[in-house]
Amino acid sequence: MAVVRALMVLVLAVATLAVPPVFAQQARSFTVVTVLSGQGDNVANVWLPSALIVRRGERVTLTLRNVSPADHGFAIDEARIQEIVQPGQTKTVTFSHRTEGVLRYYCHVHPAHIGGQVLVVR
Ligand SMILES: [Cu+2]
């Protein structure tokens, strides 16, 4: 009986080792919002959050929301994304990036509009 039990434990241990580790999820979603930040002469439009971290190769969905009173752009050159989001509206974009690196996102309508970065990691 002890031999059978030991054999079962051994089989379970081997089976556990044979199961591949759980890899990172294959899709990731974020909501990115453009807001007015600051007061008086120091008001600026900002896309928030200013940094997103994704894994290379995974499918990334960004929901772009514009809660400011003017049209704003959202562009990521490496992902060939260039959208205009109107006030109060939402747009969704998806991309996947195969290599590690930093992708800049920015408003292509207003050079002073503060964007951010997508950090693509292994
Ligand atoms: Cu803008």
Side-chain angles (χ1 to χ4, degrees):
M1 194 65 179
V3 171
V4 171
R5 183 171 288 163
L7 200 57
M8 287 176 61
V9 169
L10 182 64
V11 167
L12 280 175
V14 170
T16 303
L17 290 175
V19 173
V22 176
F23 289 105
Q25 63 185 90
Q26 298 297 305
R28 202 174 296 270
S29 299
F30 300 95
T31 298
V32 189
V33 182
T34 186
V35 297
L36 273 174
S37 176
Q39 293 181 330
D41 293 337
N42 296 317
V43 172
N45 278 104
V46 183
W47 279 110
L48 295 175
S50 54
L52 307 172
I53 301 175
V54 305
R55 291 195 184 274
R56 66 183 183 187
E58 72 183 354
R59 184 175 177 81
V60 180
T61 301
L62 302 179
T63 300
L64 312 173
R65 289 187 59 208
N66 180 358
V67 297
S68 80
D71 286 5
H72 288 291
F74 184 94
I76 302 176
D77 294 342
E78 295 87 345
R80 297 183 178 157
I81 291 171
Q82 193 170 90
E83 294 287 344
I84 299 286
V85 188
Q86 296 175 336
Q89 298 218 322
T90 297
K91 280 196 176 177
T92 300
V93 297
T94 61
F95 70 96
S96 174
H97 199 68
R98 284 188 290 179
T99 56
E100 298 165 46
V102 178
L103 314 179
R104 169 180 171 246
Y105 60 83
Y106 63 99
C107 171
H108 55 285
V109 176
H110 309 110
H113 187 154
I114 298 168
Q117 298 174 322
V118 179
L119 311 179
V120 183
V121 300
R122 185 178 305 193

